[in-house]
Amino acid sequence: MTARTSKRTLYRLRGVPPTADAMFDALDADQLDRVHADFDIPENLGLPAVLVTGSFEQPVASWCDEIFRTTGIEVSRPVNRSAGLLMLAVDGGVYAIGYDQGFRLVPDRLKDHRFGLSFASRRVDPAKIRDLVSHTPGGGRTDITLIPSGASVWSLGIVEHAQIVRRLGGHLDNIPLTISRDNPGKISSAEGGVGLRMRLGVEGADLIADIRAIARVLREEKPSPELEFVEHVVPVDDPSLVTRLEAMLDDLLGQEPDGRISVAVPADHWDDYMAARAFRARINSASAGRSTDDEPDRWEDLTP
């Protein structure tokens, strides 16, 4: 029996108008040349869409040199990986699905980096978390937790407001997707990060219906109370927004203090902060400046 669904990663793209020409123009022309891309316009979907197919080729596999060093036998074998990318516009939103290496054809700057995570925070069962990746700002530590059987989110040791959740996966609450349409009691799961990885309909009509169901959740529902902390601390990845925020901060730092800017101490440095007797302050500079507050013997560290 032919499977009605397939596990794929769905991306939502930003800044791409919902037309076939715009979707094509958004891709990296040089990369398309390297993969010898072919293009098609899927007419049976009944909406704007572009299909890109190609292959990533490597003349000699990386393991060939290692084989020679181990055995003294020269081996030369190529690597050829297929790539497929489907981009489609559904109700004004533009989405992309990669097949095999096709995900590499989606420019990172186009991806809505909170798309998959936002869906997961709304529909993954908080009591059945199977996959969680979090990062502590200001440090290199990344925590990865995998629990095949599922566990409560509060048992995973997440420090709310102090960690950025980058991926969240688990069992889905009831949602009208292709995988559960014929059997409402069937348990499905999803992994949400930059993209949303889950079982999606293979037939064109089923795939479009699944995308609409996902979009409806994001549009109409709020995060689960137990998972709403996921959206409290998020990284800023929009270059134009970063530029505007830096300009606003620079302007505020040049004004008289009015309480809108304050120093925050990371939780894991609180004991050091309480024990310190003096601080040095520097902003993008190796030289320190003296504080102008009521404690001239205390200096504040404002190093970005």
Side-chain angles (χ1 to χ4, degrees):
M1 180 177 178
T2 303
R4 191 174 176 183
T5 63
S6 176
K7 196 166 190 178
R8 298 293 174 191
T9 300
L10 178 71
Y11 298 97
R12 184 169 64 184
L13 307 186
R14 58 190 181 189
V16 181
T19 67
D21 288 342
M23 287 184 255
F24 172 78
D25 292 339
L27 299 177
D28 185 330
D30 291 336
Q31 187 178 46
L32 295 178
D33 287 340
R34 289 194 295 271
V35 300
H36 309 290
D38 291 325
F39 306 90
D40 290 285
I41 303 297
E43 297 181 355
N44 69 315
L45 294 177
L47 43 73
V50 172
L51 175 63
V52 183
T53 57
S55 59
F56 287 86
E57 300 177 355
Q58 184 177 337
V60 181
S62 59
W63 54 264
C64 291
D65 179 63
E66 185 175 334
I67 286 289
F68 175 73
R69 292 171 57 189
T70 302
T71 67
I73 300 174
E74 292 188 0
V75 178
S76 180
R77 295 291 180 180
V79 176
N80 190 313
R81 294 292 302 273
S82 64
L85 175 66
L86 175 63
M87 304 172 70
L88 64 165
V90 180
D91 301 332
V94 178
Y95 301 85
I97 300 176
Y99 300 84
D100 197 358
Q101 299 298 297
F103 70 94
R104 300 184 184 277
L105 299 176
V106 185
D108 191 64
R109 59 182 172 80
L110 298 181
K111 298 174 184 175
D112 180 347
H113 284 228
R114 303 295 293 180
F115 167 62
L117 193 58
S118 294
F119 177 83
S121 69
R122 286 161 171 78
R123 276 297 180 164
V124 165
D125 187 340
K128 297 180 180 179
I129 302 298
R130 301 173 58 183
D131 174 16
L132 189 142
V133 177
S134 61
H135 173 73
T136 303
R141 177 176 174 177
T142 296
D143 296 318
I144 302 175
T145 304
L146 298 174
I147 307 175
S149 60
S152 168
V153 65
W154 299 119
S155 69
L156 303 181
I158 292 293
V159 181
E160 190 174 350
H161 302 294
Q163 289 178 287
I164 296 175
V165 176
R166 297 191 177 277
R167 191 173 73 229
L168 176 67
H171 294 289
L172 288 177
D173 286 337
N174 183 37
I175 179 174
L177 295 170
T178 300
I179 190 173
S180 58
R181 193 168 294 126
D182 296 333
N183 183 2
K186 186 177 180 61
I187 297 176
S188 58
S189 61
E191 300 168 12
V194 175
L196 177 60
R197 185 164 180 78
M198 60 189 299
R199 298 197 71 87
L200 297 170
V202 174
E203 300 294 333
D206 289 340
L207 174 60
I208 294 171
D210 286 348
I211 291 176
R212 283 181 170 145
I214 292 167
R216 191 178 303 114
V217 168
L218 293 172
R219 183 175 63 251
E220 299 178 358
E221 300 184 13
K222 295 181 179 180
S224 302
E226 298 90 342
L227 296 174
E228 62 181 357
F229 73 90
V230 168
E231 299 195 349
H232 288 169
V233 181
V234 299
V236 178
D237 55 23
D238 183 347
S240 62
L241 178 57
V242 171
T243 299
R244 294 199 303 272
L245 290 174
E246 288 180 342
M248 293 171 62
L249 176 60
D250 185 67
D251 181 63
L252 287 172
L253 290 174
Q255 299 178 16
E256 290 295 326
D258 59 4
R260 285 184 291 174
I261 294 182
S262 60
V263 176
V265 180
D268 54 349
H269 290 289
W270 181 252
D271 291 340
D272 294 333
Y273 173 79
M274 295 302 294
R277 300 182 59 186
F279 298 84
R280 291 190 304 172
R282 62 179 184 270
I283 302 176
N284 283 341
S285 173
S287 59
R290 180 177 294 277
S291 171
T292 58
D293 59 20
D294 295 332
E295 298 179 80
D297 61 322
R298 296 177 66 84
W299 298 35
E300 297 176 354
D301 188 358
L302 299 177
T303 306

